[in-house]
Amino acid sequence: MLEKKGNFNMERVIQEFDEVTRNASRVQRETLKKILEENGDTEYLQGLGLRGRTDIDSFRACVPLVTHHDLEPYIQRIADGDTAPILTRKPVTSISLSSGTTQGKPKYIVFNEELVHNTMQIYRISYAFRNREFPTEKGKALQFIYGSKQFETKGGLTATTATTNVYRSHQFKSTMCDIQSQCTSPDEVIFGSDFLQSLYCHLLCGLLYADQVQFVSATFAHSIVVAFQSFEKDWEELCRDIKTGVLSSRITNPNIRNAVSAILRPDPELADSIYRKCEGLSNWYGVIPELWTNAKYVYGIMTGSMEHYTRKLRHYAGRLPLVCAEYGSSEGWIGANVDPLTPPDSATFVVLPDIGFFEFIPLRGMDGCEHAEPIGLTEVQVGEEYEIIMTTFAGLYRYRLGDVVRVEGFYNSTPRLKFICRRNLILSINIDKNTEKDLQLAVDEATKLLLAEKKLDLLDFTSYADMVSDPGHYVIFWELNADAKDEVLQSCCDCMDRTFVDPGYVGSRRIGTIGPLELNVVERGTFRKVLYHFLSRGTSVGQFKTPRCVGPANRAVLEILNEHVIKRFFSMAYY
């Protein structure tokens, strides 16, 4: 196992990571054995007839592949107060909630101390490789991180997002201190009940400690973009706060106000310096290195649905490199980014063979191998795509995560994975199947036409498959930063329709069994309303992802989008 305690030693962490990845096959056997020895007497595993066996063949023969739906009754019993060893022998300390942006409502996931340990383990590994490329001095991090609402389940367990469970753990602060990642903001800001007040104070505290900030980060790239979009509007007020030493009246939460006021002192010199720098920027390009001169990089998850925000993030980051964060989910961690110099669109993640037991379902063409037998971590082939199956120390056994990855190579004997898309986020009317990645490619291609126009940018987007109309068709929602000419938007609409190259889609469009693609332009601020909708349901800002495909369960989101459509276009591509 990697370093558990004591002072952080970069070279030791990298050395131990090299050792654990050198014989990934052996480590995987040992990891599964440990998981099953710890949890073999749980109700779930006992009912499957393992009878104490811990080898891979017996495990695969007895334990079926499952989704969250299959485990939901067991997790619900735990949430309702059943203290028997149902999924894990170790106590369940709380319930984690997924963001709910995919299915329309959060999923309950078992959380225990093993997940905290795994999180600290992967934080240390990723930091070691980052620090080798971008050495940081003793300082702080401007982190746009947020706790979420929490509640007690029927059985008395605290239910909140996975990130909040981590932030509240006693290990989090000590690890952040070890890896020079202490947040510039006090806890009251992180765990504040009002997102906008917390965001404002994150920016303010970041400015107060500007000379100590070594990097800027958030869980997702979206959170950093939202923060600096807010900074564009609020920078003058922030300067006033620093100049006078009096916190803005917009901060009404007493805990936040008291905590931030305690570190706020009148500093006219700093306020004037910030003001001059902001006035000298061109369209806010490079605002991060301009104000945080010691920052070495910008850090967060930038793959999948976050890819869209990297262009705007590069604008704010200027000369600073964008570094992609670790690969994981609410259910558990998978891999670390050990090549921080690699641009986000090419980022790969090295699977940690001791953090869980991993299997992979081959996916040739996404839909011809539904019944393909899963293979082991070291059996995957470079260039092939797979769906990940994970078995964890926190009660998930042969769990289909739903992520599609491609193997780009190996680090020692463990694979480097590139995230491709979520498998269940598929636009489909009949025989067509277009994934989140296909949608991103279509939007990217159309955006080239948009960016050719001066000062036009696509702020956010989503889609849904309209099955009510006859024939059914794809609907894409765009939010723009400024008004665009109708002829430009019509060209964008046609371009997206042509860029979906799935044979089922192209054939159906040609014979008219799928109707013309519809592009709806929504009012500015609409996607903020979508964000606030999820926040009202308990999602943390730090965990929020704009749903790229709005499903039937997300009816409220669809209503928000449709209520704010200001322009509508239908493709002429197949006429």
Side-chain angles (χ1 to χ4, degrees):
M1 277 303 234
L2 297 179
E3 175 182 338
K4 296 179 181 177
K5 58 185 178 180
N7 294 329
F8 180 77
N9 183 316
M10 180 183 76
E11 293 305 327
R12 180 185 169 195
V13 170
I14 292 175
Q15 179 185 353
E16 292 181 353
F17 181 72
D18 283 343
E19 289 173 1
V20 85
T21 56
R22 198 162 285 129
N23 191 341
S25 179
R26 174 182 58 78
V27 174
Q28 279 282 273
R29 290 195 300 273
E30 292 172 354
T31 301
L32 178 64
K33 184 173 186 288
K34 184 177 179 183
I35 291 172
L36 296 179
E37 284 177 345
E38 285 188 7
N39 299 297
D41 59 354
T42 58
E43 176 187 321
Y44 181 78
L45 289 178
Q46 279 194 331
L48 296 174
L50 268 174
R51 296 192 298 277
R53 290 172 292 176
T54 60
D55 63 286
I56 293 175
D57 288 342
S58 298
F59 178 67
R60 286 176 172 166
C62 296
V63 180
L65 300 180
V66 296
T67 64
H68 186 269
H69 176 77
D70 300 307
L71 297 181
E72 204 164 6
Y74 299 94
I75 298 173
Q76 190 62 57
R77 282 173 53 200
I78 295 169
D80 288 345
D82 192 333
T83 57
I86 298 173
L87 291 173
T88 61
R89 184 165 60 188
K90 289 184 178 178
V92 174
T93 55
S94 59
I95 296 292
S96 281
L97 305 173
S98 69
S99 66
T101 52
T102 301
Q103 302 296 334
K105 65 176 183 178
K107 294 183 294 190
Y108 278 21
I109 299 160
V110 169
F111 188 89
N112 63 13
E113 285 302 309
E114 291 288 348
L115 285 176
V116 177
H117 172 74
N118 288 348
T119 302
M120 300 309 117
Q121 177 185 352
I122 205 163
Y123 280 178
R124 287 168 177 264
I125 292 168
S126 294
Y127 179 77
F129 283 96
R130 290 202 313 279
N131 205 50
R132 189 164 67 175
E133 301 296 345
F134 308 108
T136 55
E137 302 165 5
K138 187 175 182 180
K140 295 178 180 288
L142 172 51
Q143 298 188 66
F144 296 99
I145 58 177
Y146 307 88
S148 67
K149 294 178 182 177
Q150 58 185 53
F151 61 90
E152 274 200 0
T153 67
K154 182 180 175 183
L157 291 174
T158 298
T160 188
T161 58
T163 50
T164 303
N165 274 323
V166 169
Y167 300 153
R168 290 192 180 279
S169 72
H170 69 276
Q171 295 183 44
F172 178 73
K173 274 197 172 182
S174 61
T175 300
M176 293 301 101
C177 183
D178 282 349
I179 64 176
Q180 304 294 328
S181 302
Q182 288 176 288
C183 187
T184 52
S185 302
D187 285 353
E188 290 82 356
V189 173
I190 296 171
F191 296 109
S193 58
D194 186 292
F195 156 60
L196 293 176
Q197 293 185 46
S198 289
L199 170 54
Y200 184 91
C201 290
H202 272 318
L203 289 166
L204 179 59
C205 293
L207 292 169
L208 294 175
Y209 293 108
D211 60 338
Q212 298 183 45
V213 168
Q214 299 293 300
F215 62 92
V216 176
S217 74
T219 304
F220 291 117
H222 173 264
S223 294
I224 307 177
V225 170
V226 167
F228 284 97
Q229 286 172 338
S230 295
F231 184 81
E232 290 183 37
K233 301 173 185 175
D234 299 334
W235 67 278
E236 290 177 295
E237 188 173 357
L238 288 160
C239 286
R240 280 197 300 273
D241 289 2
I242 295 170
K243 191 166 193 168
T244 62
V246 178
L247 187 57
S248 167
S249 60
R250 69 164 68 190
I251 309 304
T252 57
N253 181 296
N255 292 332
I256 296 178
R257 189 167 190 89
N258 291 337
V260 176
S261 294
I263 60 175
L264 181 61
R265 298 288 183 272
D267 194 338
E269 186 178 343
L270 176 60
D272 290 344
S273 172
I274 294 168
Y275 197 97
R276 286 193 302 272
K277 288 178 177 180
C278 289
E279 280 202 318
L281 291 169
S282 175
N283 196 29
W284 298 102
Y285 176 80
V287 61
I288 296 176
E290 185 67 23
L291 297 181
W292 291 275
T293 54
N294 292 319
K296 311 295 191 302
Y297 53 87
V298 178
Y299 181 66
I301 294 172
M302 302 178 193
T303 53
S305 61
M306 293 297 117
E307 283 184 24
H308 171 71
Y309 306 108
T310 56
R311 184 176 65 250
K312 189 65 174 177
L313 197 51
R314 283 193 181 98
H315 181 83
Y316 290 133
R319 61 176 172 77
L320 291 183
L322 303 184
V323 180
C324 203
E326 307 83 9
Y327 175 28
S329 65
S330 297
E331 288 88 346
W333 292 104
I334 297 163
N337 178 8
V338 301
D339 295 307
L341 293 174
T342 303
D345 56 356
S346 304
T348 60
F349 307 92
V350 176
V351 180
L352 276 62
D354 63 342
I355 214 165
F357 178 72
F358 297 97
E359 299 171 87
F360 298 83
I361 301 176
L363 295 176
R364 285 187 180 275
M366 292 294 290
D367 60 358
C369 292
E370 188 66 35
H371 304 292
E373 285 297 315
I375 59 177
L377 179 69
T378 59
E379 299 172 297
V380 295
Q381 300 294 314
V382 174
E384 295 297 324
E385 293 186 359
Y386 302 90
E387 180 187 348
I388 296 179
I389 304 167
M390 61 197 308
T391 295
T392 73
F393 288 93
L396 300 180
Y397 308 99
R398 307 198 80 195
Y399 181 89
R400 296 183 66 163
L401 189 60
D403 284 5
V404 175
V405 296
R406 183 168 62 240
V407 179
E408 296 291 331
F410 283 81
Y411 181 98
N412 291 330
S413 64
T414 191
R416 297 175 179 265
L417 306 180
K418 180 176 176 59
F419 178 85
I420 301 300
C421 63
R422 291 283 296 163
R423 195 176 186 198
N424 60 341
L425 292 178
I426 291 180
L427 280 169
S428 181
I429 301 296
N430 43 55
I431 62 170
D432 55 305
K433 286 184 175 62
N434 280 298
T435 66
E436 177 184 10
K437 189 67 175 177
D438 298 321
L439 173 63
Q440 182 73 56
L441 291 171
V443 170
D444 286 348
E445 196 63 28
T447 303
K448 293 175 184 176
L449 302 175
L450 196 67
L451 296 177
E453 299 293 310
K454 222 171 189 181
K455 296 183 179 178
L456 270 182
D457 196 9
L458 175 63
L459 298 179
D460 220 331
F461 71 94
T462 190
S463 66
Y464 88 103
D466 181 355
M467 307 286 285
V468 177
S469 302
D470 188 16
H473 65 287
Y474 293 177
V475 181
I476 315 293
F477 293 93
W478 276 14
E479 181 178 329
L480 305 175
N481 67 327
D483 295 336
K485 296 176 183 176
D486 285 0
E487 54 265 33
V488 173
L489 293 171
Q490 183 63 59
S491 297
C492 291
C493 182
D494 298 347
C495 177
M496 283 191 288
D497 205 5
R498 286 192 299 268
T499 307
F500 286 113
V501 294
D502 167 68
Y505 183 77
V506 174
S508 297
R509 283 289 287 117
R510 284 176 175 162
I511 65 175
T513 53
I514 293 180
L517 181 142
E518 179 181 344
L519 171 61
N520 289 335
V521 179
V522 298
E523 295 173 358
R524 284 187 284 282
T526 299
F527 279 84
R528 275 288 182 106
K529 290 182 171 65
V530 173
L531 167 62
Y532 296 153
H533 163 72
F534 282 104
L535 295 184
S536 71
R537 294 164 61 96
T539 297
S540 164
V541 179
Q543 204 170 1
F544 174 77
K545 303 181 290 291
T546 298
R548 292 302 180 214
C549 182
V550 180
N554 263 337
R555 188 182 304 273
V557 173
L558 200 54
E559 288 176 1
I560 293 169
L561 294 166
N562 283 324
E563 284 171 5
H564 294 88
V565 173
I566 53 176
K567 285 188 177 181
R568 182 174 280 112
F569 301 87
F570 289 90
S571 170
M572 305 292 290
Y574 286 85
Y575 287 104

